[in-house]
Amino acid sequence: MSRYANLPIRKRSGARAFTLIELLVAMSIIGICVSLLLPAVQQAREAARRAQCANNLKQMGLALQSYHDTHQCFPPGYLGDPPDHGAGGCATINNTVESPPGWGWSVYILPNLEI
């Protein structure tokens, strides 16, 4: 026979649960932790944006240098009369007021961009 056989069995009136105060304290601690981590996450996102922007600028500079190596000049700032497609080349800026839509320097470096 077990030595616990003669002990009276206690009946619980209800299961032990968290009180409302305990839940509010736990939620406030979690909220404080999140509020402390939020600035660090925002700084990491901003650093990623800065790095992406710097990389894009570097790629544009490399594309300009590649264009210069190929054509022995930098692309024109703007050409009012669109040249033949893929002609590229060096030209001066069209200064007329009634100039038709044309091509900017960014169009000429597109083949050299590594996106």
Side-chain angles (χ1 to χ4, degrees), residues 80-99:
D81 297 323
D84 294 334
H85 294 288
C90 301
T92 59
I93 297 173
N94 187 352
N95 290 325
T96 60
V97 177
E98 298 88 21
S99 63

Side-chain angles (χ1 to χ4, degrees), residues 60-61 63-64 67 74-79 103-110:
M60 288 174 60
L64 282 167
Y67 183 93
F74 286 108
Y78 175 80
L79 283 181
W103 303 98
W105 62 271
S106 57
V107 174
Y108 292 101
I109 67 168
L110 285 176

Side-chain angles (χ1 to χ4, degrees), residues 17-103:
F18 289 108
T19 64
L20 182 61
I21 299 297
E22 290 171 332
L23 288 175
L24 289 175
V25 168
M27 288 172 52
S28 65
I29 290 172
I30 291 171
I32 290 170
C33 290
V34 168
S35 68
L36 291 175
L37 289 176
L38 192 61
V41 171
Q42 293 296 337
Q43 286 177 353
R45 285 184 180 172
E46 184 61 31
R49 285 189 199 108
R50 263 194 312 271
Q52 183 179 14
C53 184
N55 186 41
N56 289 342
L57 289 171
K58 180 181 175 184
Q59 289 298 322
M60 288 174 60
L62 290 172
L64 282 167
Q65 288 297 325
S66 178
Y67 183 93
H68 185 272
D69 291 343
T70 304
H71 299 284
Q72 302 305 314
C73 64
F74 286 108
Y78 175 80
L79 283 181
D81 297 323
D84 294 334
H85 294 288
C90 301
T92 59
I93 297 173
N94 187 352
N95 290 325
T96 60
V97 177
E98 298 88 21
S99 63
W103 303 98

